[in-house]
Each structure stands twice: as C-alpha cells, then as structure tokens.
Amino acid sequence: MSDPSNFVTDPPSVIVKVINTAREDVNGQLGLVLNYQSDRQRYLVQCMTNSELGTLALKPQNLAKASTMESMKAQFIYMKDSPYMRRQYQQYYQKAQSYLPPQVKPEYAAFGSLLLLFVGGYFFGFTKLTVLISLVAIVALIVLPDLLSSTAVSWKVILRNFPTRCRELTEQTVPFLKGKISNRVAMMAVLMMLTLGGRTLFTSSMPKKIAPMDLDKEGSSSSASLSMDSIKEYYKLGFEDATAGKSFGSSIPTTTSSQVSSDEELLRELDDMDDIPIDYTKDPDNKKSAFGMSQAMSLFLLARTLGGLAQGPDGSWNVAHVAANIQTMDTWKWGLVGYGLYNVLSPLF
C-alpha cells in the first residue's frame, strides 16, 4: 500500500499529530508529511513544532490528521523558529526594500497598506473592497512574470503573452484543467471575471431616497398647524389649572360646532393617509442581477475545490481519488463549499 492514510500530497501539505509512541518527547508534536516508505511502512514526517527532532519515521497508527487550530499553530511555530524561513523573510525584506524609497521601510509600507484597506472598507464597503483586491491580484499574477523578467519588457510583449498567462493561471488554480483548455478560452474566462468584477465596483448599491410627502397640498399643513396650536394651548391651560389647584378642564373653552367640524375633518384626512398605496418591494432600477461577481467567484471556488478532490498525490486527475480526499478534507473547506453552493443557488429562489 503506497499511502494507507492518504497523507501524501505533492507538494506536501498535510499536517499530522504524533500519538501513542513510546517517546513522550515526540507524542503531541506536529509535523508535515513528506513521503511514505512502502518497504518500511513508515511515514516520513518533518517535525514543525520542535526543529531539533528533524525528520521522523512513524507508523500510520501513530499519526492523526491535525485539526485546523493545530495546523495553524504548527505553521506559526515553523515560520517563527525555522532558520530557512528566517532566511526567506530576510530575502523578501531586502527585495521589498529595493522597490521602496530609501527613507521608507517595508514595515511602514505594510502598515500604510493596511490603513488604506481599512479606510477603503469603511467608505466603499467590504464587498467592493474584496472584489477590488481580487481583481488587482488576478491582473498582477498575469502581468508580473513578464514585468519581473530579466529582459526589457514592453506593453506589446505583455499583451502578446496575455492569453498564455491566462491559461497558465487557470491551470495553476484549477489543476484538472491542465492541458484541457486553450489560450483563447482561458483569456475569455479571465476577461469575463474582470468584467463582472468591474460591474460590481461601479454599480451603485444605494437605494433611491423616497420623496417626502408634501403637506402643503389641499391645506393640510394649515389644518395640522391649527390643530397643533390648539393642543399646545389646551396643554398650557391644563397645566395652569393643575398649578392653581382648579378642577380639571375648568379653563378649557367650550368647543364650538365649527371647531368640532374642523377637528373631525382633520381626523378624516389622517385616516385617509392609511389608504395611500405604498410599494414595499425593491426599486426596479436598483434590482441586482441574479448572477454577479459574487456568484462567479463562488463557482470558481467550487470548481477549484471539486477539482482538488479529484487530484491524486502525483498530480493526476481521476474521479477515483474523490472518496479518499473527501475523508481527509478540512472542516473549514466544507464550510467554504457550503457557502459557495448557497451563494450560487440563492438567486434562484
């Protein structure tokens, strides 16, 4: 059996927890599965939480797949303590410094970028900010290989290589499409995503303001004004009666028939306002399309996840791998799949 627990991936990505060994210093450690040795029936595991242990050869029954929190813990410790990662950080830091002015440090630039993200999220909304970052990332992944090449690059070269870069990006993102998609189809798919994203960015989501009711028509304001004046006067008289110890209503003048008629007319007008038809449905001018950038990104996520389920350790795509990969799929990935399905199907209901 080449991989009894289905821990081996290419590149290695499965983090496991060591259990039930005879060494207490090894039990509970977290590591990355590198390979499986069929002749020894052992997994080779690179310990991530204790670099001094190095690579361990362990039986399948001594390994359990790490939880999401345990995987995050292992990755954090490895990135913090690994000498290799420290060298990588130093290289990235120096490279980032080379793109910035001498007086600007990379950490200042990172803080400024985060501040811009918060400000953009506050003024434009989280959804539009996320879409904008996604679109910029897609364009960057397509054009950066040409921009960072050692030779001088012109926009003509970037445009000429654009279809090929779109295909390469699509194949890297959705592995089972490798060799099955042309440059033209990949370019059309990328352009469609960019178009839907731009539509989301430039479509206003603010509802139309409802015009205030004009109370000046047909003398409504004058009647309301007179009625309010009368109410204030009656309140004042009642307060003065209570202060002076008089009986309730002793200072209120006798109501005339004309006043009764005026008050009854005002009440009828107020009752008639309840019969005004009000449309509580959404404004048709602001009605959202059933399929937008959010649904396109969800479809993309579902396609990538399902494609990954059918991918074997050697990178080949086969439906037979689906059942085994489903058993080892992380809980948070199932959550993303559920959200993607809901987001795609919700406009239909």
Side-chain angles (χ1 to χ4, degrees):
M1 191 177 294
S2 59
D3 184 11
S5 301
N6 199 31
F7 286 156
V8 179
T9 59
D10 184 22
S13 60
V14 176
I15 298 176
V16 293
K17 183 177 182 179
V18 183
I19 58 174
N20 302 327
T21 68
R23 295 179 55 180
E24 292 300 328
D25 61 326
V26 175
N27 289 333
Q29 299 291 342
L30 301 170
L32 182 68
V33 177
L34 303 178
N35 203 348
Y36 180 74
Q37 295 181 335
S38 302
D39 54 341
R40 299 177 58 193
Q41 297 184 352
R42 299 286 193 279
Y43 278 103
L44 294 181
V45 179
Q46 175 67 44
C47 188
M48 302 176 69
T49 51
N50 188 348
S51 58
E52 295 180 356
L53 294 176
T55 302
L56 304 172
L58 299 167
K59 297 178 181 179
Q61 57 266 32
N62 294 128
L63 297 174
K65 189 171 183 181
S67 65
T68 302
M69 293 302 297
E70 290 172 337
S71 298
M72 294 174 62
K73 173 186 175 182
Q75 292 172 2
F76 174 77
I77 294 176
Y78 180 74
M79 290 188 294
K80 181 172 67 73
D81 298 337
S82 172
Y84 170 76
M85 294 303 299
R86 290 179 182 176
R87 291 194 297 269
Q88 290 293 107
Y89 293 150
Q90 189 65 26
Q91 292 178 3
Y92 290 142
Y93 187 90
Q94 294 175 354
K95 189 170 184 179
Q97 185 66 70
S98 65
Y99 290 104
L100 297 173
Q103 63 274 17
V104 179
K105 294 183 178 181
E107 53 265 34
Y108 297 159
F111 177 78
S113 300
L114 289 176
L115 183 61
L116 287 176
L117 288 178
F118 281 113
V119 172
Y122 177 79
F123 287 102
F124 302 106
F126 177 77
T127 301
K128 289 189 175 183
L129 181 63
T130 303
V131 172
L132 177 61
I133 294 175
S134 301
L135 296 181
V136 173
I138 291 174
V139 175
L141 290 173
I142 292 175
V143 302
L144 277 181
D146 292 323
L147 292 177
L148 298 179
S149 61
S150 57
T151 59
V153 180
S154 64
W155 285 106
K156 292 182 179 179
V157 175
I158 293 177
L159 293 176
R160 184 173 65 247
N161 294 337
F162 185 80
T164 304
R165 300 300 184 191
C166 291
R167 178 182 57 79
E168 292 174 351
L169 177 63
T170 304
E171 291 178 346
Q172 291 174 3
T173 308
V174 189
F176 71 87
L177 291 178
K178 190 173 184 178
K180 301 178 182 179
I181 188 172
S182 64
N183 292 350
R184 183 177 181 181
V185 172
M187 182 182 67
M188 294 300 296
V190 171
L191 291 177
M192 182 178 296
M193 291 191 65
L194 295 177
T195 302
L196 290 173
R199 178 184 176 186
T200 302
L201 291 176
F202 294 104
T203 300
S204 175
S205 58
M206 295 296 293
K208 287 185 176 180
K209 293 183 179 179
I210 300 175
M213 184 177 294
D214 187 3
L215 296 177
D216 292 335
K217 293 181 179 179
E218 299 181 0
S220 297
S221 62
S222 60
S223 300
S225 176
L226 290 174
S227 178
M228 184 59 66
D229 291 339
S230 300
I231 292 173
K232 290 179 180 179
E233 182 65 24
Y234 291 160
Y235 179 84
K236 180 181 178 181
L237 292 174
F239 177 79
E240 292 176 350
D241 287 345
T243 304
K246 298 181 181 180
S247 59
F248 178 76
S250 59
S251 298
I252 298 178
T254 305
T255 304
T256 63
S257 59
S258 60
Q259 290 174 327
V260 172
S261 176
S262 176
D263 291 341
E264 289 179 351
E265 182 179 355
L266 176 62
L267 291 174
R268 284 196 298 270
E269 291 180 3
L270 293 175
D271 290 337
D272 292 340
M273 292 177 63
D274 295 335
D275 299 331
I276 298 176
I278 300 177
D279 186 8
Y280 292 98
T281 59
K282 294 182 178 179
D283 191 344
D285 294 337
N286 289 326
K287 185 178 180 181
K288 294 183 178 179
S289 174
F291 188 87
M293 184 62 182
S294 179
Q295 283 71 32
M297 295 181 68
S298 296
L299 284 176
F300 183 75
L301 170 67
L302 292 174
R304 181 177 182 181
T305 303
L306 295 177
L309 289 176
Q311 187 177 11
D314 57 351
S316 62
W317 186 79
N318 195 320
V319 181
H321 300 305
V322 173
N325 289 332
I326 285 178
Q327 296 177 359
T328 60
M329 189 171 174
D330 293 327
T331 306
W332 66 271
K333 289 185 179 180
W334 281 115
L336 289 178
V337 170
Y339 172 77
L341 287 173
Y342 168 78
N343 199 26
V344 171
L345 297 178
S346 58
L348 302 178
F349 301 98

